[in-house]
Amino acid sequence: MKTALIVGITGQDGSYLTEFLLKKGYEVYGTTRSLHGSSSHFVRLLDVLSDITLIQADLTEEGSIAAAVRDAMPDEVYNLGAQSSVASSWKNSVMTAETTAVGTVRLLEAVRSYAPDARYYQASSSEMFGRSPPPQDEKTMFHPRTPYGVSKVFAYWTAVNFRESYQMFAANGILFNHESPRRGLEYLTRKVSDGVAQIVFGKADSLQLGNLDTVRDWGFAGDYVRAMWLMLQADAPDDFVIATGKAHSVRDFVERAFARVDLDYQDYVISDPALFRPYEVHSLLGDPRKIKSCLGWEPEVSFDELVAMMVDADLKRYGPL
Ligand code: NAP
């Protein structure tokens, strides 16, 4: 039986990856900063809590991260832990760098010391491309425009450096936006699906958003965790873009989300310039040909299916119509 350590198991991707690995027969360990968080902190893991081992660890504390690796003695390590919000990274840039950038060094040093043969997955991000025009692939120059993106570039090169310097199996998945009903409410797509549900249930009469013309490549988180795992089963460590290869604007997402409940978004959505970011990353569109041809990965959930899944889940959360 293989053992996996998921750093950041309580998050959206951590929960999908846990379910995926348990189905594959893995023993799963996962870290969280607080074992005594409220039940809502573990809400994404409720169905699997009795099948996994949770460890308290924080990427900003070297000792706790080292202990997590020592306790789990993993065959595979998935580093999903991060201050993962682009918006928060403007307000908390030092903490973002401490967690997302330097935290990756702490984890890789721990893996090098205590589980040097473990295969390591680094959650890199399309935000690393920032200003580089689309489509973006593995050879596109990084030009991050946010504190989050800058930290992810540091973490990306740290993983490459450990691979080249110490011959460790360290692989970067450069993931474009991926969503699900488990996405945090502070993120745009959940703000939209939740906003639609609130309007339907009479809890709100409008939805304030930032720039509706921003373009992203949106996929389903459940499809993307399968790509993470595939990367660690490859013959050699490598870096891959994980994306759908299809671009949609925020307006497209919003329009479909409201159409799902037979409403016209133009009657409800306000684009508020106060919510625009200091520097917008206008267009991210991934080219996933490498992972498709090398590892046979394909996304299974379409953009329309993703929007419908998210809106339906939020409608259900507020109760029967
Ligand atoms: P998420 O839901 O925000 O989860 C982030 C996880 O990081 C949480 O489980 C949190 O756990 C943990 N964490 C936060 N600060 C930490 C710290 N100081 N030490 C240890 N763990 C910490 O993020 P996600 O959407 O699942 O994304 C997973 C990873 O992929 C992240 O690294 C994200 O940046 C990256 N990524 C995401 C996307 C996307 O579209 N979702 C795209 C590209 C890359 P606790 O609070 O329990 O400690």
Side-chain angles (χ1 to χ4, degrees), residues 1 45 49 58 129 136 149 155 180 187 197 211 222 226 244 257 265 307:
M1 183 197 276
L45 295 172
L49 267 181
D58 189 322
F129 295 125
Q136 293 103 357
S180 74
Y187 294 88
N211 189 347
R226 185 160 30 84
T244 68
Y265 80 94
V307 178

Side-chain angles (χ1 to χ4, degrees), residues 7-15 31-34 41-42 44 57-60 65 79-85 95 98-100 121-127 148 152 173-179 182-184 186-187 221 228:
V7 174
I9 197 169
T10 59
Q12 170 188 259
D13 292 6
S15 66
T31 73
T32 174
R33 282 167 296 173
S34 173
H41 192 73
F42 299 105
R44 300 177 176 107
D58 189 322
L59 284 163
T60 65
I65 283 297
N79 181 17
L80 310 182
Q83 190 303 99
S84 68
S85 157
M95 189 270 273
E98 264 297 328
T99 308
T100 309
Y121 172 85
Q122 174 60 31
S124 289
S125 164
S126 55
E127 288 289 329
Y148 169 80
K152 283 290 186 185
I174 307 174
L175 271 65
F176 283 62
N177 289 62
H178 47 283
E179 319 294 317
R182 299 183 196 173
R183 191 65 146 142
E186 66 277 27
Y187 294 88
M228 297 175 190

